Amino acid sequence: MKKEILEILKNNKNSFISGEELSHKLGVTRTSIWKYINILKGEGYKIESISRKGYKLIEEPDILSRDELLIELKFSKFINDIYYFDTIDSTNSFAKKLALEGAKEGTIILSNEQTGGRGRLGRVWISPPCSSISMSLILKPLIRPWDAAKITEITAAAVAIAIEKVTNLDVNIKWPNDIIIQNKKVCGILTEMSAELDNINYVIVGIGINVNIDEFPDEIKEVATSLKKVAGKEISRKEIVINIVREFEKLYYSFIETGSLKETVEICKRKSATLGKTVKIINKSETIIAEAVDINDEGELLVRKENGEIISVISGEVSVRGINGYI
């Protein structure tokens, strides 16, 4: 009922709606309406109440509640369900649990705080309360397991476009999974998969964004930043999440339906913090110093080795000179 009342208030944001009209629309008593209005006020919604006029929504808090997001994303064909937590150890770990239990594609897990977040190679990811975005998407694409890496680039492109739309900041992508602003990391993407030889059981995409963080620990403050620190003002986490889902939906379904990564690659090239730079590529067998020269139609990074040979990089740890500690 709270969600239904909130949706009506949001749809009538510039005018009052009476308790009697709400009661009639929703088939509940005016006392129930009053109770849920007070719950919404307790959650931070500023609602003006005037006798004989009713209620008017004046201001919305920057919260990542399930109800709020389901209202804003009600026309999304991707969204199936949303789980929201005040705090959790890892949204990716919970997403895996749900996926194993049969959760459908389009299930999103969000948390206001994450205490055990992980980045690539088991690194710790800082997710303080009320100032960051910790979210995971459950996907069950009918694609070949070796194509799952492309979903990381789809996500990076979607996040970059979403952040740019909300903040008007100049956003770059460090291939394939980091979002960079002013040569510092503002977002990391961690993609994990369960698959058999020729079949994907599920893909979990974890997204961690530094939104309104003011200070970082000494060990990362030289390589990390937040949207607030760059923009000089508070940024709406809710608007970022809404736009990520919308942009991801477009790029993801374009890939699933056509098999082409063209739109994503165009974005990744245009916003690349990697192309034209010297990179260090670390994989299990060797470390390569090379120049990043292109991203091909399959989303693979093309690099020119010191001997002139051009090779494609599908995955691995890629550092860019001047970014994230590689100088």
Side-chain angles (χ1 to χ4, degrees):
M1 185 58 61
K2 183 182 68 171
K3 174 178 174 288
E4 287 75 13
I5 292 173
L6 178 59
E7 184 168 9
I8 292 172
L9 291 175
K10 286 168 71 73
N11 289 337
N12 293 271
K13 201 167 183 180
N14 296 319
S15 59
F16 283 91
I17 182 166
S18 70
E20 183 177 357
E21 186 175 352
L22 284 169
S23 174
H24 179 73
K25 281 178 177 286
L26 299 173
V28 297
T29 65
R30 293 179 64 176
T31 300
S32 293
I33 298 296
W34 177 83
K35 181 182 74 173
Y36 285 112
I37 290 290
N38 282 327
I39 291 174
L40 289 168
K41 286 180 178 179
E43 292 178 354
Y45 291 90
K46 187 176 179 181
I47 300 172
E48 187 175 359
S49 306
I50 297 180
S51 178
R52 297 184 181 179
K53 293 187 71 174
Y55 307 101
K56 180 167 72 171
L57 181 60
I58 304 298
E59 188 177 316
E60 301 175 43
D62 182 28
I63 59 175
L64 301 176
S65 76
R66 178 178 185 274
D67 288 347
E68 179 78 43
L69 293 171
L70 285 175
I71 290 169
E72 294 291 344
L73 294 166
K74 66 181 178 180
F75 296 116
S76 167
K77 65 178 182 178
F78 173 75
I79 293 292
N80 184 275
D81 201 356
I82 296 175
Y83 289 77
Y84 173 77
F85 298 90
D86 284 328
T87 185
I88 198 172
D89 58 347
S90 164
T91 57
N92 262 31
S93 295
F94 188 78
K96 288 180 193 176
K97 175 177 176 292
L98 288 180
L100 287 169
E101 293 172 353
K104 295 180 180 179
E105 175 168 278
T107 299
I108 296 180
I109 298 86
L110 281 156
S111 185
N112 189 48
E113 177 187 25
Q114 189 174 235
T115 59
R118 294 171 292 111
R120 280 176 55 83
L121 304 179
R123 297 188 181 106
V124 174
W125 182 264
I126 305 297
S127 306
C130 304
S131 58
S132 58
I133 291 171
S134 300
M135 65 184 293
S136 297
L137 315 179
I138 296 177
L139 307 173
K140 296 190 174 181
L142 297 176
I143 59 174
R144 301 168 300 181
W146 50 90
D147 282 332
K150 297 174 181 178
I151 293 174
T152 301
E153 289 178 79
I154 290 170
T155 307
V159 172
I161 295 298
I163 291 175
E164 189 173 76
K165 282 188 173 181
V166 175
T167 67
N168 291 317
L169 295 172
D170 185 17
V171 181
N172 297 114
I173 300 169
K174 183 176 83 67
W175 187 94
N177 67 313
D178 289 340
I179 304 301
I180 305 295
I181 299 179
Q182 296 182 356
N183 282 340
K184 290 188 176 184
K185 185 172 177 176
V186 76
C187 167
I189 297 161
L190 177 63
T191 303
E192 300 179 281
M193 175 178 68
S194 170
E196 298 166 14
L197 185 61
D198 58 357
N199 178 65
I200 289 177
N201 298 319
Y202 62 78
V203 175
I204 307 298
V205 180
I207 304 167
I209 307 176
N210 304 327
V211 183
N212 293 317
I213 301 175
D214 291 310
E215 299 296 335
F216 292 89
D218 289 343
E219 59 267 28
I220 62 170
K221 67 181 182 181
E222 296 303 318
V223 297
T225 191
S226 71
L227 300 181
K228 179 183 178 182
K229 286 177 74 71
V230 180
K233 63 180 181 179
E234 293 271 336
I235 301 297
S236 169
R237 294 182 301 157
K238 178 177 67 178
E239 289 302 315
I240 295 287
V241 169
I242 290 168
N243 278 276
I244 287 173
V245 173
R246 289 173 177 164
E247 297 302 322
F248 178 84
E249 179 178 285
K250 288 187 288 187
L251 295 174
Y252 178 66
Y253 284 130
S254 174
F255 169 60
I256 295 299
E257 291 167 5
T258 68
S260 170
L261 207 61
K262 181 180 178 182
E263 293 177 69
T264 290
V265 169
E266 287 175 354
I267 294 169
C268 289
K269 282 186 178 183
R270 188 173 75 247
K271 297 196 157 298
S272 179
T274 306
L275 295 182
K277 305 286 181 62
T278 300
V279 297
K280 181 195 295 182
I281 303 157
I282 302 173
N283 56 36
K284 293 179 180 179
S285 59
E286 62 179 338
T287 297
I288 300 170
I289 302 296
E291 179 190 1
V293 295
D294 202 0
I295 300 171
N296 67 19
D297 292 344
E298 297 300 309
E300 299 167 348
L301 181 66
L302 302 183
V303 301
R304 181 183 291 112
K305 298 169 67 174
E306 292 175 322
N307 64 4
E309 179 188 5
I310 293 179
I311 62 171
S312 63
V313 181
I314 300 172
S315 62
E317 182 68 5
V318 177
S319 298
V320 178
R321 187 186 295 275
I323 296 177
N324 290 353
Y326 176 45
I327 304 300

